[in-house]
Amino acid sequence: MTDTFRTLLPVLLVLVALLVVRRRVPVLFWWLVGYPVAVLRVLASYRATMDACGLTVPASAVRRATARMIGRQAAPVPPRHSFPLPTASGLVMRLRMAAGQAPEDFTASADRLRHAWGAHAVHVRPTKPGRLELRLVGWDVLAEVRPARRRLATEPLSLPLALREDGEWHVRDFRTVPHELILGATQSGKSVYLRNLLCGLARQPVVLVGIDCKWGVELAPFAPRLSALADHPDRANDLLDVLLEEMEARFRLIGLSGEAGPDSVLTSDVWGLPESVRPVPVVVVVDEVAELFLAAGKEDEKRRDAMVTKLIRLAQLGRAAGIYLEVCGQRFGSELGRGATMLRAQLTGRVCHRVNDESSANMALADISPEAALAATSIPADRPGVAVVGDSSGGWSRVRSPHLTLDDAAAVCRVTAALVPELPRLDSFRPVVEPAAPSSSASSAVPATRPATE
């Protein structure tokens, strides 16, 4: 009995340790146990699984003739595949499709492949004609998301903001997708996504402009890093005028660069200008855009129409001038007034968290993919931060941003306050930040309590 106990005790300790590692450090458990088991399962059952899922093709005439000569029946041929290589959250395998097959065939069978190989999810991505990538995810990577490594953000205006359900990071690249619409109900994680965005930009030489018509309750904690902040519709209207003046001045600079001489390099945007004269990029964050559309009387309607027109002009022409829009709100629909649909069309990047009505999800994602809008309406309330990200190319994915508290985000903006670029046109809109008291760890410009809207 004692010998048996001594033999079983190490085994039990190893099992308990693996269970703890699986719960606390799923990546380590995947490398130690999950990946080897998954590779054996995939390789051992690959041909049978592909045949059961209808992803095989009849053997060639030569194979059939050879099989008849030896008295056998030629088996269906599955796609050729590479050896499954490990990733941080699963494994990836490259397939060469047989004649007559299409990536849609594998996408339709992704759920059956997931069950056959015991994976959490299977994602199919075409790489080039005749080839695709099969990515298996070992566990629910969106259950707990940690901040991305800094080395992922190597390009200017490129930020890894949220983890996709396939284990890759969703990178917000302003030069590729200049303008974005972010929707989300209260406590849906929209503010956390915005905090990650602002903190990532705060570490770069970028002009940050905030428009928050809820008296600045959302953007006031980031005041030390903001070059301008408008907390009222009237002030927002004046700030948009200044931004349009800045955009026109940058276009004049681009035009003059082409007249510098025969050896000058022609360009159509600020990124083609020499670095010595290139203007600093400007990112305009409009929080709760519905407040700009509200109108109680005719005067408010005139101001609203003027502001919407200015936003549309910035969205249409701002990319070439290095001015980018990040529009946020709890809801966004055509009932907000004239110009809402036209503005939405210019915001090619879309991030839709859990929303209160189906029309907002359709406004954000229906023109990209009906499946994406349906996925946004099914986001559970107990998973804040989960969103559906899409762009004008039609691609979409579920993502979740790492949790970032308001205090931590405000601390980043205080530390990076010295990086605020010089832009004289915005000096009159620069928020006044009181110096922090020696005995207090938080700046007096930051509210002591969390905002009502998360």
Side-chain angles (χ1 to χ4, degrees):
M1 184 68 180
T2 305
D3 295 337
T4 304
F5 178 74
R6 289 178 179 176
T7 304
L8 292 178
L9 182 60
V11 177
L12 292 175
L13 291 177
V14 170
L15 291 176
V16 172
L18 288 176
L19 291 175
V20 173
V21 169
R22 183 178 184 181
R23 178 178 293 271
R24 298 293 182 87
V25 193
V27 177
L28 180 60
F29 179 83
W30 171 255
W31 282 92
L32 293 177
V33 179
Y35 171 68
V37 173
V39 168
L40 293 175
R41 186 185 296 121
V42 169
L43 295 180
S45 62
Y46 178 77
R47 179 181 292 271
T49 301
M50 288 292 170
D51 191 19
C53 294
L55 298 176
T56 56
V57 296
S60 63
V62 176
R63 287 191 178 186
R64 291 198 302 268
T66 305
R68 283 196 300 268
M69 291 175 60
I70 60 178
R72 293 184 180 180
Q73 185 177 2
V77 179
R80 294 182 181 179
H81 66 88
S82 65
F83 186 81
L85 299 177
T87 63
S89 58
L91 60 86
V92 62
M93 187 166 54
R94 291 170 177 83
L95 273 62
R96 181 177 181 179
M97 293 179 289
Q101 291 182 328
E104 290 76 14
D105 301 332
F106 293 84
T107 303
S109 301
D111 201 47
R112 286 180 283 180
L113 295 174
R114 176 177 74 89
H115 287 288
W117 290 330
H120 176 76
V122 173
H123 300 276
V124 179
R125 184 177 69 89
T127 55
K128 56 183 179 180
R131 299 178 184 271
L132 55 84
E133 184 180 88
L134 208 63
R135 184 178 293 269
L136 275 69
V137 181
W139 71 94
D140 186 5
V141 296
L142 300 185
E144 183 180 357
V145 180
R146 298 181 180 181
R149 298 176 183 176
R150 293 287 181 83
R151 63 181 176 83
L152 293 177
T154 56
E155 298 293 331
L157 290 175
S158 180
L159 307 170
L161 294 181
L163 185 66
R164 296 200 316 240
E165 59 183 347
D166 61 357
E168 296 293 320
W169 279 90
H170 163 65
V171 178
R172 174 74 173 97
D173 189 353
F174 285 86
R175 297 182 63 179
T176 303
V177 182
H179 312 303
E180 186 174 63
L181 174 64
I182 306 172
L183 293 182
T186 304
Q187 300 294 330
S188 66
K190 172 176 63 69
S191 295
V192 175
Y193 181 90
L194 188 60
R195 291 171 198 165
N196 282 278
L197 174 71
L198 289 172
C199 288
L201 291 174
R203 300 183 178 97
Q204 300 186 12
V206 177
V207 174
L208 294 178
V209 176
I211 298 178
D212 183 5
C213 292
K214 293 189 302 181
W215 298 277
V217 67
E218 287 284 353
L219 299 182
F222 314 108
R225 183 57 182 83
L226 296 180
S227 298
L229 176 62
D231 56 2
H232 188 271
D234 290 333
R235 193 162 175 81
N237 192 23
D238 296 336
L239 178 57
L240 290 174
D241 286 332
V242 174
L243 290 174
L244 288 177
E245 293 176 3
E246 177 67 21
M247 183 178 69
E248 293 172 1
R250 294 187 175 199
F251 275 116
R252 286 195 294 269
L253 178 63
I254 295 172
L256 291 174
S257 66
E259 302 174 0
D263 297 332
S264 61
V265 178
L266 296 177
T267 180
S268 60
D269 57 37
V270 295
W271 295 102
L273 296 174
E275 191 172 354
S276 58
V277 298
R278 183 189 305 159
V280 182
V282 178
V283 177
V284 183
V285 179
V286 183
D287 191 75
E288 201 51 61
V289 66
E291 294 292 328
L292 296 179
F293 288 88
L294 296 179
K298 294 209 172 178
E299 291 297 326
D300 291 340
E301 289 181 359
K302 291 180 180 178
R303 181 186 60 196
R304 177 197 65 189
D305 294 343
M307 285 193 294
V308 173
T309 302
K310 294 168 187 176
L311 282 174
I312 293 174
R313 285 195 64 196
L314 285 174
Q316 288 178 332
L317 305 174
R319 184 204 63 80
I323 300 177
Y324 309 99
L325 289 180
E326 202 76 18
V327 179
C328 313
Q330 293 191 32
R331 60 170 289 102
F332 197 90
S334 57
E335 69 275 6
L336 292 180
R338 186 175 61 183
T341 304
M342 185 179 297
L343 177 61
R344 189 277 306 261
Q346 301 295 328
L347 307 175
T348 52
R350 311 287 174 80
V351 179
C352 185
H353 295 78
R354 178 179 53 84
V355 290
N356 294 325
D357 58 309
E358 187 177 352
S359 63
S360 293
N362 290 330
M363 194 72 172
L365 299 169
D367 60 331
I368 292 177
S369 172
E371 293 81 7
L374 182 62
T377 58
S378 61
I379 296 176
D382 59 349
R383 275 210 167 183
V386 175
V388 175
V389 172
D391 53 44
S392 57
S393 66
W396 64 276
S397 178
R398 291 182 185 86
V399 302
R400 192 177 192 182
S401 53
H403 182 66
L404 180 64
T405 64
L406 183 61
D407 292 337
D408 292 340
V412 171
C413 290
R414 289 195 299 270
V415 171
T416 57
L419 298 179
V420 177
E422 292 291 334
L423 198 60
R425 281 189 175 87
L426 298 178
D427 287 345
S428 60
F429 296 92
R430 180 79 182 270
V432 178
V433 181
E434 298 293 336
S439 60
S440 175
S441 60
S443 173
S444 59
V446 180
T449 59
R450 289 178 178 268
T453 303
E454 281 288 325

